[in-house]
Amino acid sequence: MRATPTVLDPAGFDLPESQRRWLRWTIYIGYVALTAGIFHGLAQALSYANIDILRFFPGLRGYYQGLTAHGVANAIVFTFAFSNGFLPLMTARALGRPLVGGLVQATCVVLLAGNLLVIYAVVTNQASVLYTSYAPLQAHWTYYLGLVLIVVSTWLALVNMLVVYRRWRRDHPAARIPLLGHIAVVSYVMWFLASLPIAVSFLGFLLPWSLGLMEKVDPLLTRTLFWFTGHAIVYAWLLPAYVSWYALVPRQAGGKLISDSYTRIVFILFLLLSIPTGFHHQYTDPGVPEAIKAVHAVLTFGVFFPSLATAFSVVAALEIGGRARGGRGLLGWVTKLPWGDPSLAAQMLAMLTFVFGGISGLINASFTMNQVIHNTTWVPGHFHLTVGSAVTLTHMGVAFWLIPYLTGRGLWSRGQALTSAWVYTVGVLIFARGMISAGLAGMPRRTFRVAAAYSNPDWDWGGMLTGIGGTLMFFGIAQFFIVIAMTALAGARGAHPKDVPVSETLTAPASTGWERHLDRLGVWVAVTIALCVIAYGPFLAMYLPARLVSPGFRLF
Ligand code: HAS
Ligand code: CU
């Protein structure tokens, strides 16, 4: 039996204050975006209940302007701002050395610059194209450039992590990379590879087209490039949450992570399978052969597997914690978990909601069932149970220790922090229940119901639940924002956690044998690229060169 090791315990690790400051400002950009985004979220949710509050928004000229602001702010800026702060910090902590200061600053500045450009385009109603940026809807060039810069900020964060990793490797040529560092780096390497197609689409087509350098664009190709990146983007949102569930949550629950190798395998499976699945967003698109869609359907069922494995692992770790605290019987350990800790409670609520997100994802992925729910409100029902709950609630939970850690101030009002997570959870469950049932009755997504020419009484109940749930979600996040702002401004100085809560594992990383291959990132990247070629090569070979057929339209 191997000894119980720590994931890593670099004694005395302390991040310089200047780096803490830039990291927290990077994350704050996301909180500001989230807070702006929830106003538009509230307006959308209420519109499904036939209540129109859009006309009270100063300067807002239409539903699609608000929906674009909501999608970009919450799904793109909030998520990546968090990851740009969190993942480099995890790498630094795991490898026991500081980051490259200049790169920490550059990540924050580029993220902010990208944001300002996107805000300008959206606020002036020159980019009401929704976060999917489908051509031939055309936005102002600042919108595309702004999104490119946001992606570049994630690359800078990754470069920082890789520099730290290389330096660590130079000093430890034969050692296994510490688990927390491994999974943080794999997460952003996956995202880097995944982000290349959208960079091609934006820099090669949409940006020059919006600048008038190209007269026409190829809607199917740019849409396909969007989803080439766009499915994997959901795992780029999810994996930082998984980093916390695997490497931090067990410690917070008083348990242990069950296996080092199991965890590494899960993240490598995400690296391999997150990207070659994008056509499951295009099952109904004409012009894509059915056989290619079928390959993507099979691979989608493949990428379902590492999340199933995660469910077993995180529940086992929680069970160890609950039993260590005196829990008995089949489920007695659940109530013994420290539900009064807002950081842990928010993340356990995230897990519980994600069970429904996973089930609804399986239905989306099934080619035939997808025909029933595609483009209905079922889909936003699904993604508010994933990015809108598993990810958001985890980010909230992490913030409850991370912001104190980065600011040197204690959490302001544990009770309010806990309440914000519960209010949000109850809200998102009611909201998603409404969206999902109305979607099954055919209620279309991305439609301003209040003003729609056609409605259906079968949507009334679901629409009402959507409005009620969305209102609760709004109050949950508003309360979260107050807790964070008050922590940063008025939290008790010195009452902060002094270290990242890194877990121990039941099994140590093996120093010999096949498990060492799990650390060979170059090899796994090569396999990932090969899988992408298999999944997208036939389509691109059949389809290219680009068919530049459509001029741009500004409809809203
Ligand atoms: Fe999805 C559409 C398939 C996961 C986000 N998805 C979307 C869209 C978004 C999105 C934003 O195949 C809409 C895009 C648009 O605007 O059009 N999705 C899946 C599948 C999964 C999945 C198979 N999605 C996610 C995640 C997202 C996300 C994660 C964001 C973070 N999705 C689809 C498909 C579509 C789609 C189609 C296209 C639909 C269409 O027609 O447009 C899977 O990866 C899900 C796996 C999840 C699980 C659950 C594991 C559970 C865990 C918790 C364990 C804890 C327990 C309790 C049990 C297998 C790990 C703990 C106990 C305690 C005591 C606390
Ligand atoms: Cu997807």
Side-chain angles (χ1 to χ4, degrees):
M1 173 101 182
R2 296 167 182 168
T4 301
T6 54
V7 170
L8 189 80
D9 183 17
F13 168 76
D14 197 14
L15 206 63
E17 171 51 27
S18 61
Q19 297 194 6
R20 284 177 194 243
R21 192 170 50 239
W22 283 97
L23 286 179
R24 63 178 183 259
W25 277 103
T26 305
I27 296 173
Y28 290 162
I29 293 173
Y31 293 154
V32 172
L34 177 69
T35 307
I38 59 168
F39 284 92
H40 295 295
L42 178 67
Q44 259 103 57
L46 290 176
S47 77
Y48 283 111
N50 274 327
I51 300 169
D52 177 13
I53 60 162
L54 276 173
R55 55 207 153 96
F56 300 122
F57 281 62
L60 192 76
R61 267 161 279 173
Y63 173 78
Y64 292 102
Q65 189 186 4
L67 190 50
T68 307
H70 175 66
V72 173
N74 289 6
I76 297 181
V77 182
F78 165 59
T79 49
F80 282 117
F82 175 84
S83 304
N84 280 354
F86 181 66
L87 293 178
L89 173 66
M90 290 304 103
T91 311
R93 169 61 178 80
L95 304 180
R97 55 187 66 216
L99 296 158
V100 181
L103 282 169
V104 179
Q105 295 172 10
T107 303
C108 183
V109 170
V110 173
L111 178 71
L112 182 64
N115 250 298
L116 293 175
L117 288 175
V118 172
I119 290 170
Y120 164 75
V122 173
V123 167
T124 55
N125 198 29
Q126 298 186 77
S128 298
V129 297
L130 307 183
Y131 86 102
T132 37
S133 312
Y134 287 154
L137 287 179
Q138 193 181 52
H140 192 257
W141 62 268
T142 46
Y143 177 78
Y144 301 116
L145 184 64
L147 287 177
V148 167
L149 288 181
I150 292 172
V151 172
V152 170
S153 79
T154 65
W155 295 350
L156 291 169
L158 174 65
V159 170
N160 207 345
M161 292 157 68
L162 292 177
V163 170
V164 173
Y165 169 63
R166 276 187 77 92
R167 289 180 181 166
W168 173 87
R169 177 56 81 202
R170 208 177 43 216
D171 297 343
H172 305 85
R176 297 288 308 275
I177 169 169
L179 180 64
L180 177 58
H182 182 270
I183 60 181
V185 170
V186 169
S187 300
Y188 247 18
V189 166
M190 185 286 287
W191 163 243
F192 169 72
L193 295 174
S195 64
L196 296 176
I198 209 169
V200 170
S201 171
F202 276 40
L203 293 174
F205 297 102
L206 299 179
L207 188 56
W209 174 61
S210 67
L211 284 166
L213 303 173
M214 255 165 87
E215 203 186 323
K216 294 188 173 169
V217 78
D218 181 334
L220 180 57
L221 182 63
T222 49
R223 188 177 158 98
T224 301
L225 290 171
F226 179 87
W227 287 118
F228 198 156
T229 296
H231 177 68
I233 207 173
V234 313
Y235 295 113
W237 301 333
L238 182 70
L239 291 187
Y242 274 13
V243 167
S244 175
W245 293 6
Y246 273 101
L248 313 182
V249 160
R251 164 87 172 268
Q252 293 180 295
K256 283 182 183 173
L257 175 57
I258 55 165
S259 163
D260 179 279
S261 298
Y262 183 107
T263 309
R264 289 180 206 247
I265 290 171
V266 162
F267 276 78
I268 285 168
L269 284 173
F270 277 116
L271 172 64
L272 297 179
L273 295 173
S274 291
I275 310 172
T277 49
F279 277 122
H280 70 221
H281 292 268
Q282 293 176 269
Y283 284 154
T284 54
D285 277 22
V288 183
E290 300 292 286
I292 293 176
K293 293 176 181 171
V295 170
H296 283 237
V298 171
L299 289 169
T300 304
F301 284 102
V303 78
F304 196 76
F305 175 75
S307 278
L308 274 183
T310 301
F312 284 105
S313 179
V314 296
V315 172
L318 291 176
E319 183 178 350
I320 295 170
R323 293 201 185 281
R325 302 168 72 89
R328 299 277 171 270
L330 191 61
L331 289 175
W333 56 271
V334 176
T335 50
K336 291 285 181 190
L337 287 164
W339 288 94
D341 170 359
S343 174
L344 181 64
Q347 296 187 73
M348 292 194 293
L349 293 171
M351 294 169 191
L352 287 169
T353 51
F354 193 45
V355 173
F356 302 107
I359 294 169
S360 52
L362 204 53
I363 289 164
N364 298 346
S366 309
F367 197 91
T368 42
M369 282 192 273
N370 183 277
Q371 313 294 309
V372 178
I373 53 81
H374 183 66
N375 272 344
T376 72
T377 54
W378 166 287
V379 175
H382 158 71
F383 68 68
H384 284 84
L385 290 168
T386 51
V387 64
S389 60
V391 174
T392 305
L393 279 162
T394 302
H395 288 6
M396 288 166 76
V398 170
F400 294 148
W401 69 259
L402 179 64
I403 298 305
Y405 174 81
L406 290 175
T407 54
R409 291 175 179 271
L411 180 67
W412 180 85
S413 183
R414 186 185 164 99
Q416 294 224 26
L418 202 54
T419 317
S420 70
W422 276 100
V423 169
Y424 188 84
T425 304
V426 173
V428 83
L429 288 173
I430 297 174
F431 170 91
R433 164 66 174 74
M435 287 233 130
I436 278 184
S437 64
L440 284 177
M443 182 155 79
R445 67 182 286 203
R446 295 181 156 179
T447 302
F448 189 42
R449 190 175 174 212
V450 179
Y454 171 75
S455 192
N456 180 335
D458 289 349
W459 305 339
D460 288 347
W461 174 237
M464 196 178 71
L465 291 178
T466 302
I468 295 170
T471 307
L472 286 173
M473 291 161 76
F474 173 83
F475 283 115
I477 293 290
Q479 194 176 19
F480 164 75
F481 189 76
I482 292 170
V483 170
I484 293 302
M486 290 304 289
T487 300
L489 296 171
R493 277 195 195 280
H496 61 288
K498 306 295 181 289
D499 192 13
V500 176
V502 185
S503 302
E504 296 182 341
T505 44
L506 281 179
T507 55
S511 51
T512 55
W514 64 268
E515 286 142 301
R516 294 188 60 84
H517 297 302
L518 297 173
D519 293 5
R520 299 179 63 187
L521 293 184
V523 174
W524 296 114
V525 166
V527 180
T528 306
I529 292 170
L531 273 174
C532 291
V533 171
I534 292 170
Y536 275 96
F539 173 76
L540 293 174
M542 173 206 87
Y543 190 83
L544 290 175
R547 302 165 197 192
L548 304 175
V549 291
S550 181
F553 294 91
R554 291 202 180 164
L555 300 179
F556 313 112

